Amino acid sequence: MKKIKVIIADDHLVFRLGLEGVLVRIFKTIDCFQVGNGAEVIKIVEEQMIDLIILDLEMPEQNGYATLEKLNKMTNRPKVIVMSFHDDVFTVLKCVTSGAHGYL
């Protein structure tokens, strides 16, 4: 069975570890990559075929918005779900119009 490759991009290590733990328990065929900024996301996507990115908006070095812009220019673009505490309509719409496939 093919492994699903997921990147968890968030600047909080404890959150990344917890989310990966939940995903691995639920989905047995998953490989998780953990990164703390958007630049690391782009590097991995350039090197590997990634199926899904769970992306935070507020990260150092390269935030989620800039990461979405760069992903949109890539030919092997994976699905992206933005996960953020921002709950205003403007932020959600900006993410979706910037190429996010979902927002949590």
Side-chain angles (χ1 to χ4, degrees):
M1 184 173 274
K2 179 186 178 258
K3 290 264 187 176
I4 299 168
K5 292 185 178 183
V6 176
I7 298 175
I8 301 170
D10 193 289
D11 56 330
H12 296 94
L13 176 61
V14 173
F15 176 79
R16 293 193 317 254
L17 290 170
L19 184 55
E20 179 179 7
V22 169
L23 292 174
V24 168
R25 281 186 189 86
I26 294 172
F27 305 102
K28 305 298 183 202
T29 60
I30 195 167
D31 279 338
C32 283
F33 299 86
Q34 293 185 31
V35 298
N37 66 62
E40 295 176 65
V41 169
I42 299 303
K43 183 178 177 187
I44 293 172
V45 171
E46 289 174 340
E47 296 171 355
Q48 300 199 35
M49 290 299 297
I50 301 297
D51 298 297
L52 175 66
I53 299 169
I54 300 171
L55 183 68
D56 185 23
L57 292 179
E58 305 295 331
M59 295 181 290
E61 194 172 328
Q62 182 177 297
N63 67 28
Y65 296 117
T67 304
L68 279 169
E69 286 180 27
K70 290 184 180 187
L71 287 168
N72 282 332
K73 297 175 184 173
M74 301 176 88
T75 57
N76 61 335
R77 188 181 182 286
K79 303 285 187 200
V80 179
I81 296 175
V82 173
M83 183 175 275
S84 178
F85 285 106
H86 296 285
D87 63 355
D88 60 285
V89 173
F90 176 76
T91 301
V92 175
L93 288 175
K94 184 175 179 182
C95 289
V96 172
T97 58
S98 296
H101 295 87
Y103 190 98
L104 299 171

